[in-house]
């Protein structure tokens, strides 16, 4: 038996071109450039982001082209929508916004077609890496997709349209499929958009990024160019959104000619117009299984100029959690400023009655530690008031200190103990990876510490990078005996000419023993 196992091991080493003591690595890991053999996926993904993830910003941004949503988006309110924006070389633009009743974007209510002009100005003094822009709206039209949608929307618009417009449409107006009604006209000085909470202030803050998406298709180890358009964020308070000037971003649009693959929604949204809203593919509702580890998939930007990445671990057995918040001074997350570690517990969730598809949870933050990563943060913490943030004078770069005994860190806005009312959602992307959406933080920088401040939209999703069964189990597959046949037949092992006879003899010896 030992002789047979030795022969099998020799065969694997010969056919794969690896040393006998190397553990087979799944093909998708082999194709990941720069990944260390025993590096856990979570740490690799964070390091990948910190290394810039091959992302470059186009300065000044090049807007010309067709930009589309890659899935159903959720705005504060909530509002469910998809977007399709076309920018022309003469600075004119035409934008479609398609609104829905459901979080899967399959039941459209109305579509907006927006026409105007945009002019890029200068680099933003507030949001590093962004470009400020001016825009002017020429026309906004609306198409209703059902009688119910028409009645509900007209009632909202008429309440705020003002007496000078004598109402937008009469409440008893019969729905006409395909009819386009004018909401705004610069020429006629008519604007009935306030009742919809409509504004295009997102166009006042612009950033375009480009990166290479690896191609993990058998022999093709190349890459595909992806371009993303980041537009200004939408204020989380409905009453503030009409005059808010963005300092962060919303979910990026992607260039219709240079988007991620696969993308089931991209072609559908690209071909849509105001009369034919996109109906996205059915997506299964996934249970709220938080257990495991989740990590940022990109450098995230929050209002008030915060750049960060996140790394969370949830323990479902006792409903405890811990998380790392890595803060940076730049939009590519290359220049660290400080790291916050926090932990606590959470309650069992229940379905949200306000945001369809979401789950409401309550989180308790009971412990925190802080690690300053630059001299500016060190100086700030060392000059903080006694008893407000650890021990003044003891901070240094890279040194982690506990701030639990001082009830947090006032200089960084950390208060302990602390309760947050959260909104969570789990989805799967087109590559069957689990995504965790956590509620969007209030734009004013406050905390969702009361039920009335619970989020109604989401931040950038986290990707599941480790499961409860452990991080390293995946490095032990496939094992040499139980799945040797599958391993030899996989594309991870390339049999040289003449090696098939050796494979047959080795397997025969194993089965004979």
């Amino acid at each position: 038996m030992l002789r047979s196992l030795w022969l099998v091991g020799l065969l694997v080493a010969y056919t794969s071109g690896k040393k006998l003591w190397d553990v087979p690595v799944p093909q998708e890991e082999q194709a990941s450039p720069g990944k260390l053999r025993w590096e856990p996926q979570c740490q690799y993904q964070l390091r990948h982001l910190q290394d810039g993830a091959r992302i470059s910003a186009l300065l000044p941004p090049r807007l010309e082209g067709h930009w589309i949503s890659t899935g159903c988006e959720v705005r504060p309110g909530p509002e469910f929508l998809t977007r399709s924006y076309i920018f022309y070389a003469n600075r004119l633009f035409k934008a479609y916004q398609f609104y829905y009743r459901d979080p899967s974007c399959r039941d459209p209510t109305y579509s907006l077609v927006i026409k105007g002009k945009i002019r890029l100005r200068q680099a933003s003094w507030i949001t590093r890496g962004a470009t400020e822009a001016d825009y002017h709206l020429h026309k906004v039209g609306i198409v209703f997709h059902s009688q119910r949608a028409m009645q509900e929307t007209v009632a909202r618009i008429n309440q705020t349209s003002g007496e000078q417009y004598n109402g937008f449409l009469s409440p008893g107006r019969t729905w006409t499929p395909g009819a386009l009604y004018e909401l705004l006209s610069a020429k006629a000085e008519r604007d009935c958009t306030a009742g919809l909470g409509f504004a295009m202030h997102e166009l006042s803050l612009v950033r375009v990024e480009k990166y290479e998406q690896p191609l993990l298709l058998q022999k093709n180890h190349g890459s595909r160019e992806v371009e993303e358009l980041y537009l200004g964020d939408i204020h989380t308070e409905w009453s503030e959104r009409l005059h808010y000037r963005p300092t962060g971003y919303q979910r990026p649009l992607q260039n219709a000619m240079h988007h991620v693959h696969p993308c089931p929604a991209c072609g559908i949204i690209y071909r849509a117009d105001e009369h034919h809203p996109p109906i996205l593919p059915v997506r299964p509702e996934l249970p709220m299984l938080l257990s495991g580890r989740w990590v940022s998939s990109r450098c995230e930007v929050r209002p008030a100029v915060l750049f960060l990445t996140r790394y969370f671990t949830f323990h479902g057995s006792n409903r405890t959690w811990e998380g790392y918040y890595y803060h940076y001074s730049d939009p590519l997350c290359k220049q660290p400023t400080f790291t916050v570690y926090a932990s606590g517990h959470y309650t069992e969730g229940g379905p949200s009655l306000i945001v369809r598809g979401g789950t409401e949870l309550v989180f308790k933050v009971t412990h925190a530690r802080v690690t300053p990563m630059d001299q500016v943060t060190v100086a700030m913490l060392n000059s903080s008031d006694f008893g407000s943030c650890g021990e003044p004078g003891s901070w240094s770069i890279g040194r982690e200190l506990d701030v639990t005994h001082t009830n947090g860190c006032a200089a960084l806005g950390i208060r302990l103990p602390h309760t947050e009312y959260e909104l969570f959602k789990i989805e799967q992307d087109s590559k069957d990876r689990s995504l965790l959406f956590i509620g969007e933080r209030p734009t004013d920088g406050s905390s969702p510490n009361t039920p009335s401040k619970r989020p109604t939209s989401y931040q950038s999703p986290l990707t599941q990078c480790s499961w409860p069964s452990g991080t390293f189990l995946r490095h032990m597959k496939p094992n040499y005996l139980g799945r040797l046949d599958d391993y030899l037949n996989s594309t991870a092992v390339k049999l040289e000419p003449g090696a098939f006879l050796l494979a047959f003899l080795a397997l025969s010896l194993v089965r004979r023993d």
Side-chain angles (χ1 to χ4, degrees):
M1 177 66 178
L2 292 177
R3 181 185 60 185
S4 303
L5 291 177
W6 178 86
L7 183 56
V8 171
L10 180 62
L11 167 68
V12 173
Y14 168 67
T15 55
S16 64
K18 298 179 180 296
K19 297 181 179 67
L20 182 61
W21 51 85
D22 279 350
V23 176
V25 180
Q27 183 183 1
E28 62 269 21
E29 292 179 27
Q30 290 177 325
S32 299
K35 187 177 189 303
L36 304 178
R37 178 173 301 281
W38 290 99
E39 184 179 23
Q41 182 65 29
C42 300
Q43 278 73 16
Y44 163 68
Q45 189 157 337
L46 280 173
R47 182 175 64 82
H48 188 54
L49 291 175
Q50 292 164 353
D51 289 344
R54 304 184 304 282
I55 295 174
S56 61
L58 302 183
L59 295 174
R62 186 178 64 248
L63 296 184
E64 184 179 349
H66 194 164
W67 304 84
I68 54 177
S69 301
T70 56
C72 193
E73 302 178 13
V74 185
R75 283 184 173 178
E79 289 180 328
F80 308 112
L81 78 157
T82 56
R83 295 177 291 159
S84 177
Y85 292 1
I86 306 172
F87 296 92
Y88 301 100
N90 59 1
R91 298 189 300 178
L92 295 176
F93 70 86
K94 179 166 69 172
Y96 295 109
Q97 293 182 353
F98 308 100
Y99 290 83
Y100 303 82
R101 201 177 299 278
D102 66 302
S104 298
C105 289
R106 293 185 52 80
D107 184 10
T109 53
Y110 63 87
S111 299
L112 298 180
V113 55
I114 307 138
K115 297 180 179 181
K117 194 168 189 176
I118 185 171
R119 180 176 66 90
L120 299 179
R121 292 175 53 207
Q122 62 191 17
S124 173
W125 288 89
I126 300 176
T127 305
R128 185 176 174 184
T131 298
E132 296 177 353
D134 290 328
Y135 73 93
H136 179 70
L137 297 182
H138 297 162
K139 287 185 177 182
V140 178
I142 186 170
V143 174
F144 302 104
H145 301 303
S146 70
Q147 179 69 40
R148 176 187 172 187
M150 182 175 184
Q151 291 175 341
E152 294 174 346
T153 308
V154 166
R156 289 167 54 193
I157 295 174
N158 284 345
Q159 288 177 355
T160 57
S161 60
E163 294 181 0
Q164 67 270 32
Y165 300 132
N166 297 319
F168 171 59
L169 291 173
S170 60
R173 184 76 171 262
T174 302
W175 172 56
T176 304
L180 176 66
Y181 302 97
E182 188 175 78
L183 278 173
L184 179 149
S185 172
K187 186 176 182 180
E189 298 183 349
R190 171 186 174 90
D191 186 356
C192 297
T193 60
L196 297 178
F198 170 81
M200 286 298 286
H201 299 327
E202 61 187 285
L203 295 179
S204 62
L205 195 70
V206 177
R207 177 177 171 85
V208 174
E209 289 185 354
K210 180 172 63 175
Y211 66 91
E212 299 294 324
Q213 178 192 13
L215 297 177
L216 306 179
L217 302 176
Q218 296 180 355
K219 297 181 180 181
N220 191 348
H221 288 178
S223 60
R224 175 189 291 112
E225 185 176 270
V226 176
E227 290 187 358
E228 293 186 324
L229 171 61
Y230 289 82
L231 297 175
D233 62 308
I234 308 299
H235 202 288
T236 52
E237 286 292 330
W238 183 276
S239 59
E240 300 289 334
R241 65 194 303 180
L242 293 183
H243 53 81
Y244 169 68
R245 288 300 181 268
T247 57
Y249 304 115
Q250 54 187 309
R251 180 173 173 174
L253 303 175
Q254 293 194 354
N255 192 305
M257 299 296 105
H258 303 284
H259 61 78
V260 296
H261 287 77
C263 179
C266 289
I268 300 173
I269 297 173
Y270 173 76
R271 292 186 293 269
D273 59 33
E274 67 269 33
H275 302 292
H276 307 91
I279 308 298
L280 300 193
V282 177
R283 301 180 65 91
E285 290 192 11
L286 301 181
M288 184 53 59
L289 301 177
L290 284 179
S291 294
R293 293 173 179 159
W294 307 78
V295 68
S296 295
S297 57
R298 57 164 50 97
C299 183
E300 301 172 9
V301 184
R302 290 183 182 174
V305 201
L306 290 176
F307 306 105
L308 77 159
T309 58
R310 297 171 291 157
Y311 176 29
F312 286 99
T313 302
F314 297 96
H315 307 281
S317 57
N318 57 5
R319 287 204 286 273
T320 59
W321 69 277
E322 51 188 326
Y324 286 91
Y325 302 80
Y326 303 94
H327 290 79
Y328 303 85
S329 62
D330 68 298
L332 292 180
C333 288
K334 289 185 176 182
Q335 302 168 13
T337 53
F338 64 93
T339 297
V340 175
Y341 166 85
S343 63
H345 56 274
Y346 60 94
T347 64
E348 185 177 2
S352 172
L353 300 179
I354 298 176
V355 184
R356 287 179 56 185
T359 299
E360 296 181 349
L361 301 99
V362 178
F363 275 74
K364 302 282 186 179
V365 188
T366 55
H367 296 84
R369 302 194 296 265
V370 174
T371 307
M373 299 300 292
D374 67 352
Q375 194 57 50
V376 173
T377 306
V378 168
M380 178 183 66
L381 297 179
N382 278 329
S383 62
S384 60
D385 295 335
F386 181 81
S388 67
C389 184
E391 302 299 331
S394 59
W395 296 97
S396 60
I397 293 178
R399 184 185 182 190
E400 182 185 69
L401 293 179
D402 198 307
V403 297
T404 305
H405 66 286
T406 54
N407 296 323
C409 180
L412 298 177
I414 302 172
R415 297 186 303 276
L416 297 175
H418 184 63
T419 300
E420 293 195 349
Y421 294 82
E422 271 294 359
L423 180 74
F424 276 40
K425 177 180 66 170
I426 290 181
E427 289 185 355
Q428 275 191 330
D429 65 9
S430 56
K431 297 181 180 179
D432 294 329
R433 296 176 299 188
S434 294
L435 304 178
L436 174 61
F437 292 81
I438 299 178
E440 188 172 0
R441 316 309 294 171
T443 305
D444 61 8
S446 64
S447 173
N449 54 5
T450 64
S452 62
K453 297 184 71 174
R454 191 187 300 272
T456 56
S457 56
Y458 302 99
Q459 303 176 54
S460 297
L462 304 175
T463 304
Q464 189 164 27
C465 56
S466 177
W467 289 261
S469 56
T471 304
F472 295 99
L473 180 61
R474 57 205 275 283
H475 293 287
M476 301 303 294
K477 296 179 179 179
N479 62 60
Y480 283 102
L481 293 178
R483 293 180 56 189
L484 183 59
D485 294 293
D486 293 337
Y487 180 65
L488 291 174
N489 289 325
S490 71
T491 56
V493 176
K494 304 299 182 184
L495 292 178
E496 300 292 339
F500 293 99
L501 180 59
L502 283 175
F504 174 77
L505 291 174
L507 291 174
S508 298
L509 286 171
V510 172
R511 288 163 180 158
R512 185 183 305 167
D513 287 350

